[in-house]
Amino acid sequence: GVLGAGVVARLITGMIMDVMEQGEIEEVRVWSRTKGNAEGMRDVVEVDKGVSLVVCDGCKEAVEGCDLVFTVTPSRVGLVENVDWLKGNAIVVAVGSDTPGKRELGVGVVDDIITHGTVISDTIPNVVKLGECQYLPPSLHNKIITFGDVLT
């Protein structure tokens, strides 16, 4: 599921299409505030390889049951409003929360993910200042791990 259909969303979706084997992706669900932008993702999604593009009317429809979720918007309100919208083992890549005050995951969603799963970041000081984790209580900051932790 992809929330957003701008340049970065198109690049990420295109890269995922490039690295996945034919048949590994059945559909790509996209939501955008501008429906025409979501429709424009057709040139990125490889429908010729049997992948269908589903343009969604809402965020819940776009992410519910997906294995992989990308949020790539400039939102300042949580678009994924409830962790129950997410598949239990989903990978969520929240890209758009890149400055203080931005957020794409609703209140409590990151708390739930960090309590029941794993939050991986490039650097902890940045993600608690600029990313989705800026909304976490400081008592949960020690549960964030870095890409370096995963790779070593």
Side-chain angles (χ1 to χ4, degrees), residues 34-47:
T34 307
K35 197 167 189 168
N37 289 354
E39 292 284 353
M41 295 279 281
R42 290 195 190 283
D43 64 340
V44 178
V45 175
E46 297 180 2
V47 293

Side-chain angles (χ1 to χ4, degrees), residues 56-114:
C56 300
D57 292 325
C59 297
K60 180 179 181 180
E61 178 188 359
V63 303
E64 200 166 41
C66 291
D67 295 312
L68 184 57
V69 174
F70 284 96
T71 61
V72 197
T73 74
S75 183
R76 293 192 170 273
V77 297
L79 301 173
V80 178
E81 296 174 12
N82 192 311
V83 75
D84 293 336
W85 295 4
L86 301 170
K87 190 174 178 179
N89 60 348
I91 295 171
V92 179
V93 182
V95 177
S97 182
D98 58 2
T99 58
K102 285 187 177 180
R103 81 176 314 153
E104 297 171 302
L105 306 178
V107 175
V109 173
V110 178
D111 302 52
D112 238 3
I113 291 171
I114 204 164

Side-chain angles (χ1 to χ4, degrees), residues 90-138:
I91 295 171
V92 179
V93 182
V95 177
S97 182
D98 58 2
T99 58
K102 285 187 177 180
R103 81 176 314 153
E104 297 171 302
L105 306 178
V107 175
V109 173
V110 178
D111 302 52
D112 238 3
I113 291 171
I114 204 164
T115 301
H116 299 99
T118 305
V119 172
I120 304 169
S121 168
D122 48 358
T123 66
I124 293 170
N126 281 350
V127 78
V128 299
K129 182 180 175 186
L130 307 174
E132 291 292 338
C133 294
Q134 67 186 294
Y135 303 102
L136 281 176

